[in-house]
Amino acid sequence: MHRYRIYVGVSLLALAFGCNRKDEETDVAGKGGNAILKITPKHHSQIIDSCKVYIKYNTLDAATSYDDSTWALPSNGSVAVFQGLKAGKYYIFGLGWDKSISQEVRGGLPYTITEQKTYELILPVTEVH
């Protein structure tokens, strides 16, 4: 019986102290803020027009599906714009065509928004091998 009381006492102490840690507050990325990402896809310092740019919220890793997408087209300066974003982690992926080499190009970039402002990013893309 004495061992049982010690076991229960130690177990309760472990539970009490083990559950006292504070969870870190993290920003939840996505829509609902005032940040803007302006993304220019480039291959060997040349702007890639007609590039589809995708964005994934709450991750810095490439994904198999994305939360939103838009086109970087010559008509808008070959810049993809994502507006109304909150602070947090994002992964940006682009898929386009480099007409100078007649090849598909793609690339990704992790990015963290820390302030509610406009960010201008270069998205490096490369040939698909």
Side-chain angles (χ1 to χ4, degrees), residues 22-85:
K22 291 183 180 179
D23 290 330
E24 291 182 26
E25 287 186 29
T26 57
D27 293 318
V28 178
K31 296 279 189 180
N34 294 315
I36 300 170
L37 289 179
K38 293 184 175 183
I39 303 158
T40 304
K42 286 190 174 183
H43 180 232
H44 298 302
S45 72
Q46 298 296 318
I47 293 175
I48 300 299
D49 58 11
S50 301
C51 183
K52 183 86 174 232
V53 180
Y54 302 85
I55 190 167
K56 182 71 175 176
Y57 308 148
N58 296 308
T59 187
L60 294 175
D61 299 318
T64 56
S65 67
Y66 289 85
D67 297 309
D68 199 0
S69 65
T70 190
W71 285 94
L73 297 169
S75 59
N76 63 0
S78 295
V79 176
V81 179
F82 294 99
Q83 298 181 11
L85 299 175

Side-chain angles (χ1 to χ4, degrees), residues 100-115:
S100 69
I101 60 170
S102 297
Q103 276 193 290
E104 186 178 74
V105 290
R106 65 174 62 188
L109 176 72
Y111 197 77
T112 301
I113 293 177
T114 57
E115 298 178 47

